[in-house]
Amino acid sequence: VASPVTTESLTLRRFDFSDTSQVAHLLTRSSGRLNALAKGIKRSKRAAIFDLFSHGRLTFLPRPSGQLQLVTEYDAIATFPAIRASLPRLHAALYFLELAIEIVPEGEPNAAAFDTLLSGLRGLEAEAPASAPALVLSFELEFLSLGGFAPRAGSCLSCGKDVGRAPEPFRFSPGEGGFLCRDCFAARGPKPALAAPVARAALKILESLSRRETRAGERMTAPKLPDGAIPPLRSLMDAHVRATIEKDLKTARFLPRR
Ligand SMILES: [Zn+2]
C-alpha cells in the first residue's frame, strides 16, 4: 500500500462521478494535476475542496496516474472571496484555471505552475477589479513562459533583428508564436494568417511581461501599462493562446478587455 501524500492543492474543476459522489480536479504542488475522490474526508470539510479556486492542504492515497486519487484529509487555506464577489476578477480567475488545465500535463509534478497559479489568484484577490485585464496579461505570459509557450517578442522571426532595431510595424504569426518585422513581412508570399500591425512599443511590453517572475509565495502584482495598451495585447494573446493549445478557451470570451 502506498503511503499518503500531503501537499497543497488548488481546485480547477469539479464534476459528478456517480449519483452520490463528486470528483475534484486539482492542481497540486507536489503531484501535478489529478482527479480526487473526497469520500474519505469529513462532510464538513468536503464542500471546500469542490469550490473552484480553493487553496487547501490535501492528503491523499496515491494511485497510478490517470486513476482517481483518494483524499483522506483536506483543510482549506484560502477560498478567495473577493474573486467570487467581482465579475472581472471572477472571469479572469476562471481563465487562469482553464489555462492551467490546458497547459499543465496531468500527473507530472510542476511546482512552478502551482506557485504561479496561486500567485495569480492572490493577485486577483488583492488588486482592484479595474486591474484585472493587466493582471491577466501578466499572469498568462508568466505562466506560458514556464513551459516555453510565451510568444517570442524579442526579435523578428525571420531576420532575427532585435525588436528595438528592426523596422516596425510588426505582424504576429500565430502558428509560429512570434513576429515578423515590416521588411520580412513584405518579403513573405501568402500571408492570410497574419493579423493587424503591431507597434514596437507593444512588443516591448510583451517581452517585459514574459520576463516577470513572481517568487513562490508572493502575490502577483498588476503591471502599470500605458493607456490603450491592453486591447491590442489582449487580441494578440487570444490569437497566440488559440494557436498554442489549438482550440478556443471557453473562458477567454468573458475576459475583461480594457
Ligand atoms: Zn525581419
Side-chain angles (χ1 to χ4, degrees), residues 165-177:
R165 294 187 302 116
E168 60 179 339
F170 297 83
R171 306 274 175 155
F172 183 53
S173 179
E176 298 169 284

Side-chain angles (χ1 to χ4, degrees), residues 4 17 21 27 33 41 49 57 68 96 98 105 108 117 122 125 130 145 149 156 175 197 207 218 258:
F17 170 65
S21 303
L27 181 62
R33 208 153 56 75
I41 58 176
I49 197 173
R57 188 172 313 286
L68 290 174
F96 291 6
E98 195 178 6
E108 289 179 20
L117 180 58
R122 283 182 171 160
E125 179 76 6
S145 295
F149 296 122
C156 171
E207 209 200 353
E218 291 187 358
R258 56 186 68 242

Side-chain angles (χ1 to χ4, degrees), residues 156-161 166-167 180-184:
C156 171
L157 279 175
S158 183
C159 68
K161 272 187 199 149
L180 292 169
C181 72
R182 184 194 66 204
D183 292 351
C184 294

Side-chain angles (χ1 to χ4, degrees), residues 198-217:
V198 183
R200 187 190 320 282
L203 288 200
K204 294 213 155 173
I205 293 172
L206 271 188
E207 209 200 353
S208 71
L209 294 181
S210 312
R211 267 190 266 129
R212 279 184 131 206
E213 270 181 54
T214 309
R215 256 183 295 171

Side-chain angles (χ1 to χ4, degrees), residues 67-192:
Q67 291 189 24
L68 290 174
Q69 309 301 311
L70 302 175
V71 180
T72 56
E73 284 177 58
Y74 183 82
D75 286 298
I77 299 169
T79 57
F80 302 107
I83 287 178
R84 297 167 198 282
S86 141
L87 272 186
R89 290 197 191 105
L90 178 66
H91 287 153
L94 290 171
Y95 179 74
F96 291 6
L97 300 189
E98 195 178 6
L99 207 53
I101 290 169
E102 293 299 334
I103 295 284
V104 181
E106 197 164 337
E108 289 179 20
N110 191 336
F114 176 87
D115 290 337
T116 304
L117 180 58
L118 180 57
S119 297
L121 291 172
R122 283 182 171 160
L124 280 176
E125 179 76 6
E127 299 263 3
S131 298
L135 195 62
V136 171
L137 287 171
S138 192
F139 171 78
E140 64 194 328
L141 285 161
E142 194 170 328
F143 197 72
L144 290 170
S145 295
L146 297 174
F149 296 122
R152 293 192 301 282
S155 55
C156 171
L157 279 175
S158 183
C159 68
K161 272 187 199 149
D162 188 274
V163 291
R165 294 187 302 116
E168 60 179 339
F170 297 83
R171 306 274 175 155
F172 183 53
S173 179
E176 298 169 284
F179 296 84
L180 292 169
C181 72
R182 184 194 66 204
D183 292 351
C184 294
F185 177 70
R188 263 214 187 170
K191 34 187 96 119

